[in-house]
Amino acid sequence: MAYETIIVETRGKVGLITLNRPQALNALNSALLNEVNQALDAFEADPQIGCIVITGSEKAFAAGADIKEMASLTYPQIYLDNQFSGWERVAGRRKPMIAAVAGFALGGGCEFAMMCDFIIAADNAKFGQPEIKLGVMPGMGGTQRLTRLIGKAKAMEMCLTGRMMGAEEAERSGLVARVVPLADLIPETMRTAQTIASMSLPIAMMTKETINRADEVSLSEGIRFERRVFHAMFATADQKEGMAAFVEKRAAEFKDQ
Ligand code: HXC
């Protein structure tokens, strides 16, 4: 499959997607969105892939939705085309997905990173929702996901001023899981992804699904969901293998079954 706006690689059990529109700081146009979804379709269909990593360049993860593509759209056009609905498919993926962010993650770029299960940031990462400066607001989930991740006060401040947040503040605020030196970003994220991919795939996917329920339901319903899924895990061979391996003091060999 030849892609024009992304580079797609498989490294062991990890699928790596590198956003590749350097001339536009990886601005997210519709071609890129389509290609990201094609690559994700392929990774999700491939039973060998246990984790997906999305990254950009050292200068920019992505500087937002493509402003030049959007600028002249009318309301009926943007409404009828249902622009950006493809991002719901990105956010709805079932396999674990990590964003490795260096440089700018602005607007839709920050929102894309937040659609992943967690973010590992390089120390030069800069996050922001600057849409207000363009006369709009976040439109790919930013008002909701940023608020859930960093709380109302900071989300309001970020979205109303459009200011950027550095990596250290982003980690302190709960936006990113971990900050690493720029040179370590890809090796460290790939190591983390390989660790996840070495687990049982169905168990990792059920864990992701269950954590994501926390954003949708009350505590008691979330705990009920967790209990049901936890019990269901005892129907897998991998639960038997994982616990037997512990008892026998050996490494588990998961079969994704
Ligand atoms: C289209 C973009 C772009 C974008 C950068 N470029 N961001 N093109 N859409 N979002 C292009 C520039 O036009 C320029 O192209 C080239 O990339 C390099 O950018 P420069 O501005 O020259 O680089 P620099 O001076 O280093 O500044 C970097 C920057 C700045 C601070 C990141 O580019 C910037 O502010 N970008 C816009 C950030 C933003 O507002 N994002 C939110 C977008 S709205 P040329 O051809 O001139 O060399 C959004 C809405 C999401 O994301 C919700 C949708 C539903």
Side-chain angles (χ1 to χ4, degrees):
M1 179 80 207
Y3 293 103
E4 287 179 3
T5 62
I6 58 176
I7 298 165
V8 179
E9 295 161 68
T10 298
R11 296 192 192 170
K13 296 186 79 182
V14 177
L16 174 63
I17 299 176
T18 304
L19 309 180
N20 188 33
R21 296 189 68 215
Q23 73 288 0
L25 299 181
N26 293 332
L28 308 167
N29 63 5
S30 34
L32 182 144
L33 173 56
N34 287 337
E35 291 193 348
V36 165
N37 269 317
Q38 283 170 33
L40 290 174
D41 284 344
F43 284 148
E44 290 234 295
D46 182 346
Q48 295 306 315
I49 296 294
C51 190
I52 298 161
V53 172
I54 316 269
T55 196
S57 68
E58 293 195 350
K59 178 153 194 219
F61 176 77
D66 192 313
I67 300 167
K68 293 166 190 167
E69 195 181 62
M70 264 183 310
S72 62
L73 290 177
T74 64
Y75 172 62
Q77 281 171 332
I78 199 165
Y79 178 84
L80 287 172
D81 285 359
N82 203 6
Q83 289 262 329
F84 314 115
S85 61
W87 290 106
E88 281 146 35
R89 293 194 57 224
V90 172
R93 297 293 169 169
R94 299 173 75 209
K95 286 187 178 174
M97 229 159 79
I98 309 174
V101 173
F104 297 112
L106 302 178
C110 185
E111 294 171 291
F112 184 7
M114 290 191 290
M115 288 173 201
C116 297
D117 298 313
F118 59 93
I119 300 171
I120 297 180
D123 49 15
N124 76 338
K126 282 191 170 22
F127 298 88
Q129 299 290 164
E131 289 91 340
I132 195 154
K133 297 188 200 169
L134 301 168
V136 288
M137 67 174 187
M140 285 162 46
T143 61
Q144 309 302 302
R145 288 197 180 91
L146 190 67
T147 306
R148 280 170 164 78
L149 286 166
I150 70 175
K152 178 179 166 183
K154 268 190 182 289
M156 281 285 188
E157 192 216 351
M158 297 290 293
C159 292
L160 291 176
T161 66
R163 83 165 169 95
M164 292 187 214
M165 180 189 271
E168 195 194 307
E169 184 182 2
E171 183 180 26
R172 196 175 353 115
S173 310
L175 177 56
V176 312
R178 204 141 47 88
V179 179
V180 298
L182 176 58
D184 297 344
L185 180 67
I186 297 303
E188 191 52 39
T189 306
M190 293 307 286
R191 252 195 304 280
T192 304
Q194 296 285 2
T195 300
I196 293 170
S198 73
M199 307 299 173
S200 162
L201 179 59
I203 299 296
M205 289 171 64
M206 287 181 216
T207 303
K208 164 173 175 158
E209 183 185 358
T210 304
I211 290 177
N212 280 335
R213 289 305 290 165
D215 281 339
E216 308 289 342
V217 301
S218 68
L219 179 62
S220 60
E221 280 307 312
I223 285 174
R224 184 193 299 272
F225 186 82
E226 180 192 78
R227 185 70 39 83
R228 290 279 80 82
V229 179
F230 182 82
H231 288 165
M233 288 173 174
F234 284 71
T236 66
D238 285 341
Q239 174 270 327
K240 297 289 173 286
E241 165 62 12
M243 293 194 181
F246 177 82
V247 173
E248 294 161 17
K249 299 187 188 297
R250 60 175 175 82
E253 278 183 45
F254 294 120
K255 299 274 192 312
D256 297 342
Q257 282 169 16

Coordinates of all heavy atoms in Angstrom, one line a residue, residues 68-115:
K68 N -5.8 25.6 5.7 CA -6.0 26.1 4.3 C -7.1 25.3 3.7 O -7.8 25.8 2.8 CB -4.7 25.9 3.5 CG -3.6 26.9 4.0 CD -2.2 26.5 3.5 CE -1.1 27.4 4.2 NZ 0.2 26.9 4.0
E69 N -7.3 24.0 4.1 CA -8.4 23.2 3.5 C -9.7 23.6 4.1 O -10.8 23.5 3.4 CB -8.1 21.7 3.9 CG -8.9 20.7 3.1 CD -8.6 19.3 3.5 OE1 -8.8 18.9 4.7 OE2 -8.1 18.5 2.7
M70 N -9.7 24.2 5.3 CA -11.0 24.5 6.0 C -11.5 25.9 5.8 O -12.7 26.2 5.9 CB -10.7 24.4 7.5 CG -11.1 23.2 8.2 SD -10.8 23.3 10.0 CE -9.2 24.0 10.2
A71 N -10.5 26.8 5.5 CA -10.8 28.2 5.7 C -12.0 28.7 5.0 O -12.8 29.5 5.5 CB -9.5 29.0 5.2
S72 N -12.3 28.3 3.7 CA -13.4 28.8 3.0 C -14.7 28.0 3.0 O -15.6 28.3 2.3 CB -12.9 29.0 1.5 OG -12.6 27.8 1.0
L73 N -14.7 27.0 3.8 CA -15.9 26.1 3.9 C -17.1 26.9 4.4 O -17.0 27.7 5.4 CB -15.6 24.9 4.7 CG -14.7 23.8 4.2 CD1 -14.5 22.7 5.2 CD2 -15.2 23.3 2.9
T74 N -18.2 26.6 3.8 CA -19.5 27.2 4.4 C -20.1 26.3 5.4 O -19.7 25.1 5.4 CB -20.5 27.5 3.3 OG1 -20.9 26.2 2.7 CG2 -19.9 28.4 2.1
Y75 N -21.0 26.8 6.1 CA -21.7 25.9 7.1 C -22.4 24.7 6.4 O -22.1 23.5 6.8 CB -22.7 26.7 8.0 CG -23.5 25.8 8.9 CD1 -22.9 25.0 9.8 CD2 -24.9 25.7 8.7 CE1 -23.7 24.2 10.6 CE2 -25.7 24.9 9.5 CZ -25.1 24.1 10.5 OH -25.8 23.3 11.2
P76 N -23.2 24.9 5.4 CA -23.8 23.7 4.7 C -22.7 22.7 4.2 O -22.9 21.5 4.4 CB -24.6 24.3 3.6 CG -24.8 25.7 3.9 CD -23.7 26.1 4.8
Q77 N -21.6 23.2 3.7 CA -20.6 22.3 3.2 C -20.0 21.5 4.3 O -19.9 20.2 4.3 CB -19.4 23.1 2.5 CG -19.7 23.5 1.1 CD -18.7 24.5 0.6 OE1 -18.0 25.2 1.4 NE2 -18.5 24.5 -0.7
I78 N -19.6 22.1 5.4 CA -18.9 21.4 6.5 C -19.9 20.5 7.2 O -19.6 19.4 7.6 CB -18.3 22.4 7.5 CG1 -17.2 21.7 8.3 CG2 -19.2 23.2 8.3 CD1 -16.2 22.7 9.0
Y79 N -21.2 20.9 7.2 CA -22.2 20.1 7.8 C -22.5 18.8 7.0 O -22.5 17.7 7.4 CB -23.5 20.9 8.1 CG -24.6 20.0 8.7 CD1 -24.7 19.8 10.0 CD2 -25.6 19.4 7.8 CE1 -25.7 19.0 10.6 CE2 -26.6 18.6 8.3 CZ -26.6 18.4 9.7 OH -27.6 17.6 10.2
L80 N -22.7 19.1 5.7 CA -23.1 18.0 4.8 C -22.0 17.0 4.6 O -22.2 15.8 4.6 CB -23.6 18.5 3.4 CG -24.9 19.2 3.4 CD1 -25.2 19.8 2.1 CD2 -26.0 18.2 3.7
D81 N -20.7 17.5 4.5 CA -19.6 16.6 4.3 C -19.3 15.9 5.6 O -18.5 14.9 5.7 CB -18.3 17.4 4.0 CG -18.3 17.8 2.5 OD1 -19.3 17.5 1.9 OD2 -17.4 18.5 2.1
N82 N -19.9 16.3 6.7 CA -19.6 15.8 8.1 C -18.1 15.7 8.3 O -17.6 14.7 8.7 CB -20.3 14.4 8.2 CG -20.5 14.0 9.7 OD1 -20.3 14.9 10.6 ND2 -20.9 12.8 10.0
Q83 N -17.5 16.9 8.0 CA -16.0 17.0 8.1 C -15.6 16.5 9.4 O -16.2 16.8 10.5 CB -15.6 18.4 7.9 CG -15.7 19.0 6.6 CD -14.4 19.0 5.8 OE1 -13.4 19.1 6.4 NE2 -14.5 18.8 4.5
F84 N -14.5 15.7 9.4 CA -13.9 15.2 10.6 C -14.5 14.0 11.3 O -14.1 13.5 12.3 CB -13.7 16.3 11.7 CG -13.2 17.6 11.2 CD1 -14.0 18.8 11.2 CD2 -11.9 17.7 10.6 CE1 -13.5 20.0 10.6 CE2 -11.4 18.9 10.1 CZ -12.2 20.0 10.1
S85 N -15.7 13.5 10.6 CA -16.3 12.3 11.3 C -15.4 11.1 11.2 O -15.5 10.2 12.1 CB -17.6 12.0 10.6 OG -17.4 11.7 9.3
G86 N -14.4 11.1 10.3 CA -13.5 10.0 10.2 C -12.6 9.9 11.5 O -12.1 8.8 11.8
W87 N -12.5 11.0 12.2 CA -11.8 11.0 13.5 C -12.5 10.1 14.5 O -11.8 9.6 15.4 CB -11.5 12.4 14.0 CG -10.5 13.1 13.1 CD1 -10.8 14.1 12.2 CD2 -9.1 12.8 13.0 NE1 -9.6 14.4 11.5 CE2 -8.6 13.7 12.0 CE3 -8.3 11.9 13.6 CZ2 -7.2 13.7 11.7 CZ3 -6.9 11.9 13.3 CH2 -6.4 12.8 12.3
E88 N -13.8 10.0 14.4 CA -14.5 9.1 15.4 C -14.0 7.7 15.1 O -14.0 6.9 16.1 CB -16.0 9.2 15.2 CG -16.5 10.5 15.9 CD -17.7 11.1 15.3 OE1 -18.5 10.4 14.7 OE2 -17.7 12.4 15.3
R89 N -13.7 7.3 13.9 CA -13.2 5.9 13.6 C -11.8 5.8 14.2 O -11.5 4.7 14.7 CB -13.2 5.7 12.1 CG -14.6 5.6 11.5 CD -14.5 5.0 10.1 NE -13.9 3.7 10.1 CZ -13.0 3.3 9.2 NH1 -12.5 4.0 8.2 NH2 -12.5 2.1 9.3
V90 N -11.0 6.8 14.1 CA -9.7 6.8 14.7 C -9.8 6.5 16.2 O -9.2 5.6 16.8 CB -8.9 8.0 14.5 CG1 -7.6 8.0 15.2 CG2 -8.7 8.2 13.0
A91 N -10.7 7.3 16.9 CA -10.8 7.3 18.3 C -11.5 6.0 18.8 O -11.3 5.6 19.9 CB -11.7 8.5 18.8
G92 N -12.2 5.3 17.9 CA -12.9 4.1 18.3 C -12.2 2.8 18.1 O -12.7 1.7 18.3
R93 N -10.9 2.9 17.8 CA -10.1 1.7 17.5 C -10.0 0.8 18.8 O -10.0 1.4 19.9 CB -8.7 2.1 17.1 CG -8.7 2.9 15.8 CD -9.2 2.0 14.7 NE -9.4 2.7 13.4 CZ -9.6 2.1 12.3 NH1 -9.6 0.8 12.1 NH2 -9.9 2.9 11.2
R94 N -9.9 -0.5 18.6 CA -10.0 -1.4 19.8 C -8.6 -1.8 20.3 O -8.4 -2.2 21.4 CB -10.8 -2.6 19.4 CG -12.2 -2.2 19.0 CD -13.0 -3.4 18.5 NE -13.3 -4.3 19.6 CZ -13.5 -5.6 19.4 NH1 -13.3 -6.2 18.2 NH2 -13.8 -6.4 20.4
K95 N -7.6 -1.8 19.4 CA -6.2 -2.2 19.8 C -5.6 -1.0 20.6 O -5.8 0.2 20.2 CB -5.4 -2.6 18.6 CG -5.8 -4.0 18.1 CD -4.8 -4.5 17.0 CE -5.3 -5.9 16.6 NZ -4.4 -6.4 15.5
P96 N -4.7 -1.3 21.5 CA -4.0 -0.2 22.2 C -3.2 0.7 21.2 O -2.6 0.2 20.3 CB -3.0 -1.0 23.1 CG -3.6 -2.3 23.3 CD -4.3 -2.6 22.0
M97 N -3.3 2.0 21.5 CA -2.7 3.0 20.6 C -2.0 4.0 21.4 O -2.5 4.6 22.3 CB -3.9 3.7 19.8 CG -3.7 3.8 18.3 SD -5.3 4.0 17.5 CE -5.6 5.7 17.8
I98 N -0.7 4.3 21.1 CA 0.1 5.2 21.9 C 0.5 6.4 20.9 O 0.9 6.1 19.8 CB 1.4 4.6 22.4 CG1 1.2 3.3 23.1 CG2 2.2 5.6 23.3 CD1 2.5 2.6 23.6
A99 N 0.4 7.6 21.4 CA 0.9 8.8 20.6 C 2.3 9.1 21.2 O 2.4 9.3 22.4 CB 0.0 10.0 20.8
A100 N 3.3 9.2 20.3 CA 4.6 9.6 20.6 C 4.8 11.0 20.1 O 4.9 11.2 18.9 CB 5.7 8.7 20.0
V101 N 4.7 12.0 21.0 CA 4.6 13.4 20.6 C 5.9 14.2 20.8 O 6.4 14.3 21.9 CB 3.5 14.1 21.3 CG1 3.4 15.6 21.0 CG2 2.1 13.5 21.0
A102 N 6.5 14.7 19.7 CA 7.6 15.7 19.8 C 7.1 17.0 19.1 O 6.3 16.9 18.2 CB 8.8 15.1 19.1
G103 N 7.6 18.1 19.6 CA 7.2 19.3 18.9 C 5.8 19.7 19.1 O 5.2 19.4 20.1
F104 N 5.2 20.4 18.1 CA 3.9 20.9 18.2 C 2.8 19.9 18.2 O 2.8 19.0 17.2 CB 3.6 21.9 17.1 CG 4.5 23.1 17.1 CD1 5.5 23.4 16.1 CD2 4.4 24.1 18.2 CE1 6.3 24.5 16.2 CE2 5.2 25.2 18.2 CZ 6.2 25.4 17.2
A105 N 1.9 19.9 19.1 CA 0.7 19.1 19.0 C -0.4 20.1 19.3 O -0.8 20.3 20.5 CB 0.6 18.0 20.0
L106 N -0.9 20.8 18.3 CA -1.8 21.9 18.4 C -3.1 21.6 17.8 O -3.2 20.9 16.8 CB -1.2 23.1 17.7 CG 0.2 23.6 18.3 CD1 0.7 24.8 17.5 CD2 0.1 23.9 19.8
G107 N -4.2 22.2 18.4 CA -5.5 22.0 17.8 C -5.8 20.5 17.6 O -5.7 19.7 18.5
G108 N -6.2 20.2 16.3 CA -6.5 18.8 16.0 C -5.3 17.9 16.2 O -5.5 16.7 16.4
G109 N -4.1 18.4 16.3 CA -2.9 17.6 16.6 C -3.0 17.1 18.0 O -2.7 15.9 18.3
C110 N -3.3 18.0 18.9 CA -3.5 17.7 20.3 C -4.6 16.7 20.5 O -4.6 15.8 21.3 CB -3.7 19.0 21.1 SG -3.7 18.8 22.9
E111 N -5.7 17.0 19.7 CA -6.9 16.2 19.8 C -6.6 14.8 19.3 O -7.1 13.8 19.9 CB -8.1 16.8 19.1 CG -8.5 18.2 19.7 CD -9.4 19.0 18.9 OE1 -9.0 19.5 17.8 OE2 -10.6 19.0 19.2
F112 N -5.9 14.6 18.2 CA -5.5 13.3 17.7 C -4.7 12.6 18.8 O -5.0 11.4 19.1 CB -4.7 13.5 16.4 CG -4.3 12.3 15.7 CD1 -4.8 11.0 16.0 CD2 -3.5 12.4 14.6 CE1 -4.4 9.9 15.3 CE2 -3.1 11.2 13.9 CZ -3.6 10.0 14.2
A113 N -3.7 13.3 19.4 CA -2.9 12.6 20.4 C -3.8 12.1 21.6 O -3.6 11.0 22.1 CB -1.8 13.5 20.9
M114 N -4.8 12.9 21.9 CA -5.7 12.5 23.0 C -6.6 11.4 22.7 O -7.2 10.8 23.5 CB -6.5 13.7 23.5 CG -5.6 14.8 24.2 SD -6.6 16.0 25.1 CE -7.3 16.9 23.7
M115 N -6.8 11.1 21.4 CA -7.6 10.0 21.0 C -6.9 8.7 21.2 O -7.5 7.6 21.3 CB -7.9 10.1 19.4 CG -8.9 11.1 19.1 SD -9.0 11.2 17.3 CE -9.7 12.9 17.1

